[in-house]
């Protein structure tokens, strides 16, 4: 089976079948990316991201991490969408404002497990940049360097902000937990949350 870089090279050489295979491989990561941001508009945002991916293929370095590159496109699509949708969003600092700030009200994400629901709710309370950091690093298992490329900042800054984001996530869980037992069980198993949330989003 060809890896992503080999498929990209083939696609750039005119192999449309390789292109379709590569897009299919990235689809789930893009779906996860938008599922916790604006689920109602997610289909359109996913489509925009994939269109921009196709348009950017001739410019993509052949040695790039394709998933990181695609998620970088998704980030730009998301920010453009938020700025166009919400009044004065163009002036909002995404390092400080969360999805919940821009979309007040109960989350539309349905989760079967109380822990998963709590984690998703807490994640949406984070400043958007912090939410992106946590998802890219823990969900998509990208390296610090790859996350740095997506966010356009030094790797050292990414690692510092990731530690802060993790701390903010724990604080949000503490605020939202309905009981001491739920709080304890969630924080104790926080390192296993990514796989559970990924599976929940896949089945939703």
């Amino acid at each position: 089976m060809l890896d992503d870089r080999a498929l990209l090279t083939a696609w750039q050489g005119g192999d449309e079948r390789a292109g379709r295979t590569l897009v299919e491989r990235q689809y789930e990561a893009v779906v996860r990316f938008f599922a916790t941001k604006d689920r109602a508009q997610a289909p359109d945002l996913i489509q925009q991201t994939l269109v921009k991916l196709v348009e950017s293929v001739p410019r993509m370095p052949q040695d790039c991490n394709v998933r990181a590159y695609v998620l970088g496109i998704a980030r730009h699509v998301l920010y453009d969408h938020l700025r166009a949708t919400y009044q004065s969003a163009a002036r909002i600092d995404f390092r400080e404002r969360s999805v919940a700030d821009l979309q007040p009200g109960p989350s539309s994400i349905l989760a079967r497990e109380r822990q998963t629901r709590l984690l998703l709710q807490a994640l949406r309370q984070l400043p958007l940049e912090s939410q992106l950091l946590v998802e890219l690093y823990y969900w998509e298992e990208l390296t610090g360097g790859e996350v740095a490329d997506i966010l356009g900042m030094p790797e050292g800054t990414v690692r510092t902000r990731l530690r802060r984001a993790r701390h903010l996530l724990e604080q949000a869980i503490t605020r939202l937990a309905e009981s001491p037992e739920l709080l304890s069980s969630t924080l104790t198993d926080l390192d296993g949350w990514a796989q559970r949330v990924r599976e929940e989003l896949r089945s939703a």
Side-chain angles (χ1 to χ4, degrees):
M1 180 183 295
L2 294 178
D3 64 17
D4 286 353
R5 291 178 181 175
L7 286 171
L8 174 60
T9 300
W11 193 5
Q12 290 174 329
D15 186 341
E16 295 298 326
R17 183 176 180 181
R20 288 193 297 272
T21 300
L22 189 59
V23 169
E24 289 169 359
R25 281 191 190 174
Q26 310 312 314
Y27 182 76
E28 281 197 8
V30 176
V31 170
R32 285 193 298 270
F33 181 90
F34 289 112
T36 56
K37 316 298 190 310
D38 190 339
R39 193 150 192 170
Q41 298 300 317
D44 183 55
L45 297 174
I46 292 165
Q47 182 67 23
Q48 288 183 46
T49 299
L50 298 179
V51 168
K52 288 181 181 296
L53 167 62
V54 172
E55 293 172 345
S56 68
V57 165
R59 304 187 300 275
M60 290 175 64
Q62 291 185 350
D63 62 348
C64 74
N65 179 310
V66 175
R67 184 167 20 153
Y69 194 98
V70 172
L71 291 173
I73 294 174
R75 172 179 175 255
H76 286 293
V77 168
L78 173 67
Y79 282 13
D80 288 346
H81 163 68
L82 293 176
R83 290 187 177 105
T85 302
Y86 299 102
Q87 186 175 7
S88 61
R91 300 190 298 273
I92 287 178
D93 186 346
F94 292 120
R95 294 173 298 178
E96 300 295 333
R97 302 299 296 277
S98 69
V99 171
D101 291 334
L102 297 173
Q103 300 173 321
S107 170
S108 63
I109 297 173
L110 301 177
R112 290 189 295 271
E113 296 182 40
R114 290 195 306 160
Q115 273 192 345
T116 304
R117 185 170 62 249
L118 172 60
L119 289 164
L120 287 170
Q121 289 173 342
L123 190 65
R124 287 172 54 85
Q125 295 293 317
L126 301 185
L128 187 53
E129 186 179 274
S130 296
Q131 180 183 352
L132 293 178
L133 278 167
V134 171
E135 291 179 357
L136 293 173
Y137 190 80
Y138 289 104
W139 285 14
E140 305 306 333
E141 299 178 337
L142 298 178
T143 67
E146 289 164 348
V147 175
D149 287 341
I150 292 174
L151 300 182
M153 62 181 66
E155 183 175 352
T157 302
V158 164
R159 295 193 179 281
T160 298
R161 292 187 181 178
L162 183 61
R163 287 193 293 271
R164 177 174 180 271
R166 169 79 179 235
H167 179 65
L168 290 174
L169 180 63
E170 292 176 354
Q171 288 182 324
I173 290 170
T174 300
R175 288 195 307 271
L176 294 169
E178 300 171 358
S179 67
E181 294 77 17
L182 179 59
L183 172 62
S184 176
S185 64
T186 303
L187 289 180
T188 299
D189 190 33
L190 193 56
D191 286 337
W193 73 274
Q195 186 61 40
R196 295 199 304 278
V197 174
R198 283 168 62 111
E199 292 302 321
E200 194 67 46
L201 291 175
R202 182 178 292 118
S203 62

